[in-house]
């Protein structure tokens, strides 16, 4: 990992996270507008947008295209946020682009302008890297919302995509599903087709209204188009009806929602083919099968089974619960949980209580974490006295505790609540040299 680049960029964290494009546009102007002429697929949504991005990136690479992929946050190493041809950005290219972006930002401040935020800096660095590498296609994941997100400087994307919309980041995006949908709809551009995989009628109405205003054709994806699903612990086989045609594909991401995310990707590929981007049926099949999104219902140990899932809001936890019911209903569930304090702890906690036989509470590696003792107290208030709840602030010790009990009870360990926790646990497990965590 490029520690120097990350340390340099951490200095911009003090400027907070502020939505709006004025700083970003000024920064890109001073960098020579590296975002111009990039062929971009722009992807927004509350949950699932990262998986949609990985499906698209994998299919396009299987079709022979050189791709750039921008996602956030990272799980284990900073370089994950910018990927080129399926690999994390090299340290040399990251350093080169970081130096350019920092020099431009320092001149902005010297000229009396507001400094870019850390996320704006990373977005600009991604654009510099993608331009430098002369890539064929870019898959760009929105960081937060859409309308005021730093990625929304792309004025002429090839295609926009909005996946699922649910209640999250309400302090920033609005306290109703309609307000959140309006912010997501900000990525829609004049005349540019939109793939909409939005289940909420209220949210879809807002999005379609904005698309109509901008003369943007809407291609809808619906769960009703999934006519058969066979989910297994490390993926699933799905049959879709897409445009009157029956399609069956296997994917390596688990959960019915990942089948739906793959359907959104299929519709996006259909559109790209219609504008002359050549993608064979074989590339589509292999790309969907090969796509992975680490930390999303990911099995990282098999004995005992340990699954990492970044579910951190009510909708994400609901999908995790559905997965457990479909695949592991006959096994005891040990949940290892850590949550950020600004999340809907009640909605998340009530579902975790419902599907768990034992809960071990710990803390994510993030300043916004909810202290483990506070979360433990909240979970104990839900009234299910039969569920054992332990508190272990240290994530490494909590993981060791969960694995020890899972071995004794032939149970499944489910780790969830925050991607920051998942990243920490994933690093611990990847560093394992033997059967122990400690």
């Amino acid at each position: 990992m490029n520690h120097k680049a990350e340390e340099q960029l951490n200095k911009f964290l003090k400027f907070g996270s502020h939505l709006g494009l004025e700083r970003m546009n000024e920064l890109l102007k001073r960098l020579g507008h590296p975002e111009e002429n990039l062929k971009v697929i722009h992807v927004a949504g509350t949950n699932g947008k990262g998986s949609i991005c990985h499906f698209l990136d994998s299919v396009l690479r299987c079709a022979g295209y050189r791709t750039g992929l921008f996602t956030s946050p990272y799980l284990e190493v900073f370089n994950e946020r910018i990927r080129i041809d399926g690999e994390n950005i090299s340290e040399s290219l990251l350093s080169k682009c970081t130096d350019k972006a920092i020099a431009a930002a320092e001149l902005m401040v010297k000229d009396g302008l507001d400094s870019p935020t850390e996320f704006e800096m990373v977005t600009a660095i991604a654009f510099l890297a993608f331009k430098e590498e002369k890539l064929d296609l870019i898959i760009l994941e929105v960081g937060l919302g859409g309308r005021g997100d730093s990625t929304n400087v792309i004025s002429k994307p090839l295609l926009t995509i909005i996946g699922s919309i649910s209640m999250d980041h309400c302090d920033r995006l609005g306290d109703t599903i309609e307000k959140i949908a309006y912010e997501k709809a900000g990525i829609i551009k004049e005349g540019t087709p939109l793939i909409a995989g939005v289940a909420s009628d209220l949210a879809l109405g807002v999005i379609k209204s904005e698309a109509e205003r901008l003369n943007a054709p809407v291609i809808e994806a619906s769960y009703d188009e999934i006519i058969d699903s066979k989910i297994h612990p490390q993926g699933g086989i799905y049959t879709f009806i897409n445009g009157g045609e029956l399609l069956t594909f296997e994917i390596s991401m688990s959960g019915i929602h990942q089948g739906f995310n793959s359907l959104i990707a299929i519709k996006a590929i259909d559109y790209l083919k219609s504008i002359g981007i050549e993608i064979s049926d074989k590339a589509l099949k292999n790309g969907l099968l090969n796509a992975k999104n680490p930390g999303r219902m990911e099995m990282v140990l098999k004995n005992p089974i340990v699954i990492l899932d970044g579910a951190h809001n009510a909708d994400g936890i609901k999908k995790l619960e559905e997965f457990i019911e479909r695949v592991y209903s006959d096994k005891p569930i040990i949940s290892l949980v850590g949550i950020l304090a600004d999340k809907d702890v009640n909605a998340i906690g009530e579902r975790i209580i419902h599907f768990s036989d034992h809960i071990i509470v710990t803390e994510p590696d993030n300043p916004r974490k909810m202290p483990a003792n506070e979360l433990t107290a909240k979970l104990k208030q839900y009234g299910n006295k039969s569920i054992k709840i332990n508190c272990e602030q240290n994530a490494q010790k909590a993981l060791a505790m969960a694995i020890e009990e899972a071995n004794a009870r032939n149970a499944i360990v489910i780790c969830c609540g925050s991607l920051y926790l998942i990243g920490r646990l994933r690093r611990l497990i990847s560093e394992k040299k033997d059967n122990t965590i400690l």
Side-chain angles (χ1 to χ4, degrees):
M1 178 180 71
N2 195 311
H3 293 283
K4 180 185 175 184
E6 185 173 12
E7 288 171 6
Q8 287 175 295
L9 291 166
N10 281 344
K11 297 174 184 176
F12 291 86
L13 289 170
K14 65 184 178 183
F15 298 108
S17 175
H18 304 287
L19 297 178
L21 300 179
E22 185 176 347
R23 295 174 307 275
M24 189 66 187
N25 280 320
E26 179 64 27
L27 177 61
L28 292 174
K29 176 183 175 183
R30 290 169 182 250
L31 291 170
H33 285 293
E35 82 284 5
E36 290 183 351
N37 301 316
L38 296 179
K39 294 182 178 179
V40 171
I41 302 161
H42 200 187
V43 185
T46 305
N47 294 323
K49 58 185 182 294
S51 295
I52 294 167
C53 288
H54 280 278
F55 279 124
L56 290 171
D57 181 65
S58 181
V59 171
L60 292 171
R61 285 189 289 109
C62 281
Y65 295 100
R66 297 194 65 219
T67 64
L69 175 63
F70 180 69
T71 59
S72 60
Y74 68 88
L75 289 183
E76 296 183 65
V77 295
F78 180 86
N79 307 50
E80 293 172 26
R81 297 174 74 170
I82 303 168
R83 291 172 65 83
I84 295 170
D85 291 336
E87 301 291 336
N88 294 349
I89 186 172
S90 68
E91 295 200 2
S92 59
L93 182 56
L94 178 57
S95 288
K96 178 180 178 180
C97 296
T98 299
D99 288 344
K100 284 184 181 179
I102 287 176
E106 288 175 344
L107 282 175
M108 285 175 62
V109 174
K110 185 178 179 181
D111 291 342
L113 301 173
D114 289 341
S115 172
T117 66
E118 186 265 354
F119 189 78
E120 289 165 349
M121 291 291 289
V122 179
T123 307
I125 289 164
F127 290 148
L128 286 168
F130 296 154
K131 180 179 180 181
E132 173 95 3
E133 289 293 306
K134 298 180 173 61
L135 301 175
D136 299 315
L137 294 158
I138 308 300
I139 301 99
L140 198 63
E141 180 190 12
V142 168
L144 178 64
R147 190 170 302 276
D149 186 75
S150 63
T151 63
N152 205 30
V153 292
I154 299 296
S155 59
K156 295 180 180 179
L158 290 178
L159 177 68
T160 58
I161 299 173
I162 300 177
S164 75
I165 293 180
S166 58
M167 302 298 287
D168 199 12
H169 299 291
C170 298
D171 57 326
R172 309 290 302 282
L173 304 179
D175 57 1
T176 68
I177 200 75
E178 296 97 325
K179 289 178 182 177
I180 292 172
Y182 177 75
E183 292 301 319
K184 307 288 186 189
I187 71 166
I188 302 171
K189 299 297 184 297
E190 179 75 38
T192 299
L194 166 73
I195 310 288
V198 180
S200 163
D201 289 338
L202 291 174
L204 184 59
V206 172
I207 288 165
K208 290 173 78 171
S209 177
E210 188 70 357
E212 183 178 1
R213 184 181 71 82
L214 293 168
N215 300 306
V218 178
I219 303 164
E220 293 184 51
S222 166
Y223 273 94
D224 292 339
E225 294 172 279
I226 303 175
I227 62 173
D228 189 49
S229 60
K230 296 179 177 65
I231 300 171
H232 56 74
Q234 294 178 280
I237 301 172
Y238 296 86
T239 299
F240 310 109
I241 182 164
N242 181 36
E245 181 182 3
L246 283 180
L247 306 171
T248 299
F249 291 100
E250 183 173 5
I251 63 174
S252 300
M253 298 189 210
S254 288
I256 187 71
H257 63 291
Q258 295 293 19
F260 183 58
N261 290 334
S262 71
L263 173 62
I264 293 172
I266 290 168
K267 289 178 180 289
I269 293 299
D270 284 347
Y271 173 73
L272 294 177
K273 289 168 66 176
S274 77
I275 60 172
I277 296 175
E278 295 184 6
I279 302 164
S280 68
D281 291 345
K282 182 179 179 181
L284 177 59
K285 179 180 178 181
N286 290 340
L288 292 176
L289 179 61
N290 294 339
K292 299 282 182 66
N293 192 8
R296 280 73 171 182
M297 296 188 192
E298 179 188 22
M299 185 187 294
V300 289
L301 285 179
K302 292 186 177 180
N303 188 25
I305 291 174
V306 176
I307 292 171
L308 305 181
D309 190 57
H312 58 274
N313 54 35
D315 186 57
I317 291 290
K318 179 182 177 182
K319 289 179 169 60
L320 175 58
E321 183 178 20
E322 290 169 353
F323 165 73
I324 293 168
E325 289 174 352
R326 291 277 299 257
V327 180
Y328 293 117
S329 60
D330 61 336
K331 296 283 188 180
I333 302 297
I334 301 167
S335 293
L336 176 54
V337 182
I339 298 176
L340 298 184
D342 56 1
K343 296 300 179 182
D344 187 349
V345 178
N346 290 329
I348 296 170
E350 287 175 0
R351 284 201 177 272
I352 291 173
I353 285 281
H354 184 259
F355 65 67
S356 303
D357 297 281
H358 178 195
I359 299 173
I360 300 171
V361 179
T362 190
E363 294 177 357
D365 187 12
N366 188 280
R368 289 155 47 211
K369 66 188 177 185
M370 171 169 281
N373 59 341
E374 288 186 24
L375 179 56
T376 300
K378 279 185 173 289
L379 292 175
K380 286 182 176 179
Q381 290 174 358
Y382 293 130
N384 192 333
K385 305 294 185 184
S386 65
I387 295 179
K388 181 180 176 183
I389 302 177
N390 289 103
C391 178
E392 175 48 68
Q393 181 179 5
N394 183 288
Q396 186 171 357
K397 291 180 180 179
L399 179 59
M401 183 189 302
I403 288 175
E404 182 179 4
E405 182 175 350
N407 278 323
R409 297 182 60 188
N410 191 26
I412 309 296
V413 177
I414 302 288
C415 308
C416 62
S418 168
L419 279 169
Y420 296 101
L421 173 64
I422 296 310
R424 169 72 172 139
L425 298 177
R426 200 170 191 273
R427 286 192 295 273
L428 288 170
I429 290 169
S430 67
E431 291 165 0
K432 267 171 50 70
K433 297 296 188 290
D434 51 37
N435 259 347
T436 63
I437 292 294
L438 296 180

